[in-house]
Amino acid sequence: MPLSRLVTAAVATSCLALLPLVTASPAGASGGPAAPDRPLRQLAADDHLRVGTAVDMSALADDSVYRRLTGSEFSAVTPENVMKWESVEPRQGEYDYAAADHLVDFARRHGQQVRGHVLVWHSQLPPWLTSGDFGADQLRAILHRHITDTVRHFRGRVWQWDVVNEAFNEDGTLRDSIWLRALGPGYIEDAFRWAHEADPHALLFYNDYNTEWTGPKSDAVYDLVSRLRAEGVPIDGVGFQGHLSIRYDLPTGMAANFARFDRLGLDTAVTEADVRMAVPADDAKSATQAEGYRRLLDACLRTPHCVSFTVWGFTDRYSWVPGTFPGEGAANLFDEDYRPKPAYRALESELAGRARPRSAH
Ligand code: XIL
């Protein structure tokens, strides 16, 4: 490039830098100043990574800023609630996939992949199921049917499924749940086999929290997925939810933990990242939060087959945290007015500063 153009470009860039953030805002009318020159999804594409968010369907319908940022910043979406059993089969035998279909259509229009969440979990089950007094054979048939019907419905449209979610306790024993009690530990491999039959091309994940670092729980997940791989059960990946709180020391050793799953030939993913704090937020807490996000992303980028990094919502305006962890909040990348926080900038610079090669199993 001739020197004159270089100078012009440099002047233009520095002028841009002087403009108030709000002029370049994707948040627009709300006055929210987010203004990323290159959205996260573009930066992540250079690193062969999908960057995703959980999506709140009411916000997507009612809030145009939310809708715009969902489409522009992310290359993958996860339904925060609308693919869960209580949503898709509120009454036995009556499926309602409308809200989930709506998100899948949104994703297609925006060039996004979909993480299906979730097939087998102990939580957010419909009341007809939890209070139905079913015997073991009936529950097995009910689970088989739920997995088959749901995965078939979205066949070819869901990239990754969280097939089994949160099956372990902190000490590495299997969690007491309706599934373990009635069906024994074999429900896990059955679920993967049934999901694979229903859509042989979807990537099938085991997903859990507090498994990002090494410890009894992640060791138990490691033992489980090693055995499943050895026995030829169709499992493709392990999801690390990534729900952190700055009230604890930020985790270390996450990349080494992800690496051992990678060596099994599995994909990995950060599936639900957020970093909460005691509210109100302040600069010091926001800096620690940014470091928490950075470490999660760094662990993923260091792992050759870490295929996606998903945040559990992107704005403090809509977050599950305050309702679930009293006194905590401010856990997301953008504040309630869609201003990008240091956490957003940390992901931005982490993605921009890497050149991760493409990698395939
Ligand atoms: C949460 C949603 O964010 C809330 O809106 C809902 O009320 C409860 O579930 N781990 C998971 C997610 O796998 O499905 C949970 O989502 C958060 C913890």
Side-chain angles (χ1 to χ4, degrees), residues 209-213 241-252 254 270 272-277 288-297 320-321 325 328-329 331:
Y209 63 94
N210 289 356
T211 47
E212 295 80 8
W213 51 88
Q241 291 185 5
H243 294 294
L244 305 182
S245 170
I246 67 163
R247 72 161 57 180
Y248 311 111
D249 289 342
L250 292 177
T252 55
M254 294 192 287
V270 174
E272 305 184 15
D274 55 17
V275 184
R276 59 190 190 270
M277 61 181 69
T288 308
Q289 172 182 63
E291 174 61 11
Y293 272 101
R294 195 198 64 75
R295 285 191 195 184
L296 284 167
L297 177 59
W320 74 304
V321 168
F325 304 94
E328 291 183 278

Side-chain angles (χ1 to χ4, degrees), residues 80-81 84 117 121 124 165-166 241 243 272 312 320:
E80 184 171 355
N81 287 300
K84 292 173 180 174
H117 178 82
W121 195 25
Q124 292 185 274
N165 195 32
E166 302 181 352
Q241 291 185 5
H243 294 294
E272 305 184 15
W312 205 242
W320 74 304

Side-chain angles (χ1 to χ4, degrees), residues 135-329:
D137 288 350
Q138 285 172 305
L139 274 176
R140 190 174 151 79
I142 286 170
L143 185 62
H144 184 202
R145 199 168 86 97
H146 169 71
I147 292 175
T148 304
D149 290 350
T150 303
V151 175
R152 263 200 204 141
H153 178 84
F154 295 105
R155 189 180 177 130
R157 299 187 294 153
V158 162
W159 178 39
Q160 308 172 10
W161 269 110
D162 287 331
V163 177
V164 177
N165 195 32
E166 302 181 352
F168 288 100
N169 296 311
E170 296 304 303
D171 67 0
T173 56
L174 281 172
R175 181 195 290 270
D176 180 39
S177 71
I178 185 171
W179 309 117
L180 184 68
R181 243 172 287 143
L183 310 179
Y187 81 86
I188 296 177
E189 56 208 67
D190 286 344
F192 280 95
R193 290 202 167 99
W194 295 335
H196 183 68
E197 278 165 23
D199 184 353
H201 298 299
L203 296 176
L204 305 183
F205 275 66
Y206 177 82
N207 192 50
D208 216 326
Y209 63 94
N210 289 356
T211 47
E212 295 80 8
W213 51 88
T214 308
K217 193 173 186 180
S218 91
D219 290 352
V221 174
Y222 181 79
D223 291 345
L224 168 76
V225 300
S226 308
R227 183 176 60 74
L228 296 183
R229 286 295 271 192
E231 292 174 359
V233 176
I235 176 169
D236 301 288
V238 173
F240 304 97
Q241 291 185 5
H243 294 294
L244 305 182
S245 170
I246 67 163
R247 72 161 57 180
Y248 311 111
D249 289 342
L250 292 177
T252 55
M254 294 192 287
N257 184 45
F258 289 16
R260 64 178 174 157
F261 290 90
D262 197 80
R263 286 194 294 270
L264 291 175
L266 289 163
D267 287 343
T268 50
V270 174
T271 54
E272 305 184 15
D274 55 17
V275 184
R276 59 190 190 270
M277 61 181 69
V279 286
D282 61 29
D283 287 352
K285 290 187 218 173
S286 298
T288 308
Q289 172 182 63
E291 174 61 11
Y293 272 101
R294 195 198 64 75
R295 285 191 195 184
L296 284 167
L297 177 59
D298 172 69
C300 178
L301 288 171
R302 283 176 195 275
T303 309
H305 306 100
C306 184
V307 292
S308 57
F309 179 90
T310 294
V311 293
W312 205 242
F314 59 90
T315 165
D316 295 340
R317 188 177 280 246
Y318 312 104
S319 165
W320 74 304
V321 168
T324 309
F325 304 94
E328 291 183 278

